[in-house]
Amino acid sequence: MGLTGFRGRIVSLAVLTATLVVAVLVVLSHVLLSRATDADTRTLARTRADAVAATVEFQNGQIRLVEGTGDAFDTVAWVYADGRLVDGVLHPATAAIVDRLGKSGGADIVTTSRYLLYADPLPIQGHRVIVVVTVDLAPYESSERHSLVMSLVLGALAIALAGAVTYLGVSRALQVVRRMSALADEWGDHDPGRRFGPGPPRDEFGELAQTFDRLLDRVSATIADERRLTDEIAHELRTPMSVLRGEAQLAERSGTDVAPQLVLTETDRLNAAVSTILDAARSRTQRDATCRLAAVMRQVCAGRAVRLDAPSHIEVGVPAEVAVSVLTPLLDNAARHARTAVTLRAEPTGDGVFVHVLDDGPGFRPDELDRVFAPGHSGGSGHGLGLAVVRRIATATGVGVRAVAGSNGHVEVRFPCAGRV
């Protein structure tokens, strides 16, 4: 229905445009033809009047026509001398007008429904001589009518042809869209890896198909990332649960109590994993929240041997929970691989607020900078544990995270300034 409606609108627009163009052309051609016909009839009348005037002569004080030359004009031309008809045969249909023009004494043109009458005075000294001629307009009017009918017929054919060509052209162009719709219906939910694959685009619809393919690629990549993230979170949840279950079974069999510190540690791991999931979900909606960065950095550094360098007045455009969820795994990684010291330093710039997580342990190699945040990646020395979750939260909240190659560990986090999210 959508394609049919779209095609119908395009064809209707083409037909309407063609109709307007044809109407303008028909009216314009009819007006030009009428003006040309009017000019031709006036020219014919003047030519006829000149021919009759050539037969008029003045002899012995009288106005007369050369014998034998004016017979052909008796029914279409009349000669008046001093208000008196001296040659020509009057007809009832035009007699009154001819008589008035012949006695008027000046040049004049009168058009009736059927005839054009033209009065032409002759320069004969001492006499008032007027030649009156008529031109029958019926042949010209008939020619105009035939021309108008022919123009209308040709215009109607042009409109029909424009509609047919537009219909065929639009139908052919929409074949790509119909194929895309059919393929999308065939795929369903069980075949997300299929693509339209239209080949090199020949028109805008081909470009649209390529755009949809790229969009599907991005959606598939996002879904794959979500699945990998789910697997990682499930693994993070399974590990402490397995430890707790194993310790509980061991205590049950041996009759001893489970160590409270172990329960607290594994419970904290469970709570951290669940909090990460919640933060990732909430970060999609809390886009207007802000927090004071110094307070967040002090919170994540509490109980850790971390050198802290953060101006107290800086505010960033993310919720405090998000900032904590991003910085905490990075500090855990840094503390795990540091030899003696970990540093957390904030640096405000025009592009945002950069937080540098530094340690004096082994740094990142240049060839692994793009892989350390990939889901499931873990370096031989342990780098990368939990970094996929960090990247996920950062991407959802407009926070930038990247590893910096060097001889020591260095991860850079860019928080947006408050009010610039």
Side-chain angles (χ1 to χ4, degrees), residues 106-159:
D108 197 3
I109 294 178
V110 176
T111 302
T112 66
S113 60
R114 174 70 184 272
Y115 300 99
L116 181 143
L117 297 103
Y118 173 62
D120 184 23
L122 299 182
I124 298 179
Q125 186 175 6
H127 296 278
R128 185 163 51 89
V129 179
I130 303 295
V131 175
V132 182
V133 297
T134 183
V135 176
D136 190 355
L137 300 179
Y140 296 94
E141 293 177 351
S142 177
S143 178
E144 288 184 13
R145 285 194 298 271
H146 284 92
S147 177
L148 179 60
V149 171
M150 185 61 66
S151 298
L152 292 175
V153 171
L154 293 177
L157 292 176
I159 293 172

Side-chain angles (χ1 to χ4, degrees), residues 366-390:
D367 60 345
E368 68 174 346
L369 294 181
D370 295 332
R371 295 184 288 111
V372 293
F373 293 100
H377 174 77
S378 179
S381 61
H383 281 301
L385 182 62
L387 296 187
V389 178
V390 173

Side-chain angles (χ1 to χ4, degrees), residues 164-215:
V165 171
T166 303
Y167 180 85
L168 294 176
V170 173
S171 297
R172 183 173 181 180
L174 290 178
Q175 286 179 358
V176 176
V177 180
R178 285 195 294 269
R179 286 197 299 268
M180 291 169 58
S181 299
L183 288 174
D185 289 337
E186 291 176 1
W187 297 345
D189 298 330
H190 62 280
D191 199 3
R194 293 282 298 276
R195 296 293 182 268
F196 297 112
R202 295 179 297 178
D203 52 25
E204 288 80 0
F205 291 111
E207 294 178 357
L208 178 63
Q210 285 194 338
T211 301
F212 280 149
D213 279 351
R214 291 193 293 269
L215 176 61

